[in-house]
């Protein structure tokens, strides 16, 4: 069972994960806590008094669904709590307020005009979700907007174009392109991708022009758009998006993104160290510092890689099966399905993920799962199957390779 900590220590250390753990434990009787919904609610209310945003989100969820020790009451002060989150530009809270104003939900007085005005403020700031709401609102009469037949037609054409770029109707393509250009001007990433593909292939109403595709992407890079930088890297590696192959320049750009902790760039470098492609030397032992960046971000594939590395001494990690097991156990305590599966495999066959074969411990662990003490329903437990691993024929464990799926292949 996880270490129990009193609420004063948790709040003082600002350990959000442990706070969530304790509140869930008191509310539901999980994690070896005695069920005490009142204590769960008191702990969360203390945090709300300190303006803790996650505590505010928990109370909203509690009032909506009866969680975290709160009685279900969708009318109770949700609007006041939600407005606090809105001031912090919380996208879910903003959507909730707009829907609340339109429908009279969540304690808001029905006011579709105010809903539309709020969304328009965000549209003026280039907010992508607000732009999408406006387009759907005009097309279907949602979010406080009056339905416009013209926009409805254009939206239908646009959606059709996205799913079928071979539309040969010149009028349809022209109107779809007009709407796409409007979204490109507002920085909509989906529309930018659509335009670049259109320019590269002569689709979606655009004339084929790889030079303009590259020019558009480079203009986005100048404004610091990380997605555009990633697109250029892929282009330089594979000769796509109007770029000629240039491995050296691709590596330079990728490293610039890694400095910003860009997850896609980190995964890309790890993958190429495994595969030895695009000018990277094949040497999985160099993976560790980059994998640790992803571990810090909570990336589950990176955590699995670290556990395997600690067990076998792979990927630049020093062999330490006990630390591997400890890392996996921390995830098991949080109800992580993949960690639970790893534990079951380890206890079943032994030598996996730092566990020794132990039928008695396996039996008690499965019993604990079935009693939902780890926040799993019986249905979820049933989905965790035991798969006996194939023995490795590798001699050099330091050069063990992962599958494309585990590497997050593009």
């Amino acid at each position: 069972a996880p270490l129990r900590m009193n609420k004063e220590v948790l709040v003082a250390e600002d350990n959000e994960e442990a706070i969530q753990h304790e509140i869930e434990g008191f509310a539901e009787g999980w994690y070896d806590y005695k069920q005490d919904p009142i204590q769960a609610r008191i702990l969360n209310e203390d945090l709300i008094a300190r303006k803790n945003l996650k505590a505010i989100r928990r109370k909203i969820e509690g009032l909506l669904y009866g969680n975290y020790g709160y009685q279900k009451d969708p009318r109770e002060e949700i609007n006041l709590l939600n407005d606090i989150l809105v001031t912090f530009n919380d996208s879910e809270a903003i959507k909730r307020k707009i829907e609340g104003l339109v429908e009279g939900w969540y304690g808001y007085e029905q006011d579709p005009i105010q809903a539309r005005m709020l969304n328009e403020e965000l549209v003026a700031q280039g907010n992508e979700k607000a732009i999408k709401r406006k387009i759907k609102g005009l097309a279907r009469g949602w979010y406080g907007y009056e339905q416009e037949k013209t926009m409805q037609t254009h939206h239908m054409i646009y959606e059709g174009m996205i799913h079928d770029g071979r539309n040969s109707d010149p009028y349809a393509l022209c109107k779809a392109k007009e709407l796409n250009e409007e979204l490109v001007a507002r920085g909509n990433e989906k529309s930018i991708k659509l335009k670049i593909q259109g320019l590269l292939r002569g689709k979606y109403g655009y004339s084929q022009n790889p030079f303009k595709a590259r020019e558009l992407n480079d203009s986005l890079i100048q404004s610091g758009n990380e997605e555009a930088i990633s697109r250029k890297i892929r282009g330089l590696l594979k000769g796509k998006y109007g770029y000629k192959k240039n491995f050296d320049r691709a590596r330079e750009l990728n490293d610039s993104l890694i400095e910003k902790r860009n997850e896609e760039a980190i995964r890309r470098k790890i993958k190429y160290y495994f595969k030895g492609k695009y000018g990277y030397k094949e040497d999985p032992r160099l993976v560790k510092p980059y994998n640790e960046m992803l571990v810090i971000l909570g990336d589950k594939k990176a955590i699995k890689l670290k556990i395997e590395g600690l067990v076998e001494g792979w990927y630049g990690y020093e062999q330490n099966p006990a630390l591997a097991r400890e890392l996996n156990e921390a995830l098991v305590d949080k109800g992580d399905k993949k960690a639970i599966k790893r534990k079951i495999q380890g206890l079943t066959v032994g030598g996996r993920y730092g566990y020794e074969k132990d039928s008695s411990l396996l039996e008690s662990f499965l019993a604990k799962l079935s009693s939902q003490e780890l926040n799993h329903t019986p249905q979820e437990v049933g989905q965790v199957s035991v798969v006996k691993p194939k023995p490795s024929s590798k001699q050099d464990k330091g050069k063990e390779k992962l599958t494309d799926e585990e590497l997050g292949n593009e």
Side-chain angles (χ1 to χ4, degrees):
L3 180 66
R4 292 277 299 270
M5 301 176 68
N6 63 57
K7 67 179 181 180
E8 289 81 8
V9 173
L10 291 173
V11 172
E13 292 184 354
D14 199 26
N15 187 323
E16 291 288 357
E17 189 175 305
I19 291 169
Q20 178 79 15
H21 196 274
E22 185 164 46
I23 291 174
E24 288 179 342
F26 280 128
E28 305 295 338
W30 295 336
Y31 317 122
D32 291 332
Y33 283 86
K34 182 179 179 180
Q35 190 171 17
D36 188 344
I38 294 175
Q39 182 62 28
R41 191 169 67 248
I42 289 172
L43 177 55
N44 200 62
E45 288 294 325
D46 285 347
L47 293 168
I48 289 174
R50 300 168 188 266
K51 299 293 189 277
N52 182 290
L53 299 185
K54 289 189 177 180
I56 294 172
R57 293 188 187 102
R58 276 192 293 267
K59 182 166 185 178
I60 290 173
E61 184 180 330
L63 293 171
L64 286 173
Y65 307 112
N67 298 337
Y68 304 118
Y70 292 95
Q71 294 294 320
K72 182 177 178 181
D73 188 351
R75 299 165 297 177
E76 177 73 24
E77 70 175 310
I78 289 179
N79 60 326
L80 301 177
L81 294 165
N82 197 65
D83 281 344
I84 295 173
L85 297 178
V86 169
T87 63
F88 287 92
N89 293 317
D90 183 289
S91 60
E92 187 63 31
I94 291 168
K95 180 183 177 183
R96 190 183 293 118
K97 180 168 186 174
I98 290 172
E99 291 177 344
L101 288 168
V102 171
E103 304 293 345
W105 296 340
Y106 314 125
Y108 289 101
E109 293 291 329
Q110 192 169 19
D111 190 342
I113 295 175
Q114 183 64 28
R116 186 176 69 248
M117 288 173 62
L118 173 57
N119 199 64
E120 283 296 308
E121 288 178 17
L122 297 169
V123 169
Q125 297 168 17
N127 183 288
E128 186 171 334
K129 291 184 177 180
I131 293 167
K132 288 180 179 179
R133 275 195 295 267
K134 180 174 182 177
I135 291 171
K136 288 185 178 180
L138 291 170
R140 303 176 184 178
W142 295 353
Y143 306 118
Y145 292 93
E146 291 186 11
Q147 187 178 35
E148 293 184 7
K149 294 297 182 182
T150 303
M151 180 58 78
Q152 182 183 28
T153 303
H154 289 188
H155 187 254
M156 290 171 64
I157 292 169
Y158 179 63
E159 290 294 324
M161 180 191 76
I162 291 173
H163 293 103
D164 182 8
R166 296 168 295 180
N167 193 327
S168 59
D169 182 342
Y171 172 80
L173 286 176
C174 179
K175 292 301 179 185
K177 179 184 171 184
E178 284 179 12
L179 182 52
N180 197 63
E181 283 295 306
E182 180 182 339
L183 294 172
V184 167
R186 295 180 182 275
N188 183 283
E189 185 58 40
K190 184 176 180 180
S191 298
I192 290 168
K193 288 180 181 177
L194 208 64
K195 180 173 183 176
I196 289 174
Q197 290 296 332
L199 291 168
L200 289 172
R201 302 177 185 179
K203 296 173 66 176
Y204 312 127
Y206 294 94
S207 299
Q208 190 171 19
N209 191 329
F211 174 77
K212 281 191 174 182
R214 186 177 71 242
E215 192 176 58
L216 170 59
N217 199 64
D218 283 341
S219 70
L220 295 170
I221 290 174
Q222 293 301 314
S223 62
N225 186 300
E226 290 191 7
E227 178 59 35
I229 296 173
S230 290
R231 197 158 36 234
K232 183 168 184 174
I233 291 168
R234 295 193 296 271
L236 292 168
L237 291 175
K238 301 180 180 180
K240 296 170 63 177
Y241 308 121
Y243 295 100
K244 293 182 179 180
K245 289 184 179 181
N246 186 330
F247 296 163
D248 291 340
R249 180 59 180 146
R251 288 198 303 274
E252 289 174 8
L253 284 172
N254 200 65
D255 286 344
S256 73
L257 287 180
I258 288 175
E259 290 177 3
K260 299 176 182 178
R261 296 299 189 266
N262 180 284
E263 294 181 44
E264 182 185 353
I266 296 169
R267 290 192 188 94
R268 191 181 291 115
K269 188 155 190 171
I270 290 173
K271 179 172 69 174
Y272 297 148
Y273 273 139
F274 275 106
K275 292 178 173 285
K277 294 177 68 175
Y278 306 121
Y280 285 93
K281 180 182 177 182
E282 182 181 352
D283 192 348
R285 291 170 297 182
L286 300 175
V287 161
K288 179 184 174 182
Y290 303 102
N291 194 63
E292 283 297 303
M293 294 179 185
L294 296 177
V295 169
I296 291 171
L297 296 171
D299 184 278
K300 292 186 178 181
K301 289 180 182 177
I303 292 170
K304 181 185 178 185
L305 200 71
K306 181 173 183 176
I307 290 171
E308 291 177 342
L310 289 168
V311 170
E312 305 292 347
W314 296 340
Y315 321 130
Y317 289 96
E318 292 291 328
Q319 193 168 20
N320 190 336
L323 184 56
R325 186 175 63 251
E326 184 180 322
L327 177 58
N328 197 66
E329 282 294 307
L331 295 173
V332 169
D333 287 339
K334 297 174 187 174
D336 184 280
K337 290 183 183 180
K338 290 186 177 180
I340 291 171
K341 184 176 180 179
R342 283 194 292 267
K343 181 171 182 175
I344 292 172
Q345 289 177 339
L347 294 174
T348 301
V349 298
R352 294 279 285 175
Y353 311 117
Y355 293 94
E356 297 295 331
K357 184 176 180 179
D358 190 326
S359 300
S360 176
L361 186 57
L362 174 63
E363 185 177 347
S364 64
F365 178 63
L366 291 174
K368 192 173 186 179
L369 283 177
S370 65
S371 66
Q372 302 182 36
E373 288 184 33
L374 286 172
N375 189 14
H376 275 257
T377 64
Q379 290 79 9
E380 288 175 322
V381 174
Q383 292 169 4
V384 180
S385 59
V386 180
V387 180
K388 187 172 182 179
K390 295 180 181 179
S392 173
S393 61
K394 296 279 183 185
Q395 298 299 317
D396 184 359
K397 301 297 185 181
K399 292 187 177 181
E400 184 75 8
K401 292 184 179 180
L402 297 184
T403 64
D404 283 350
E405 181 183 1
E406 289 172 310
L407 290 168
N409 240 342
E410 297 162 4

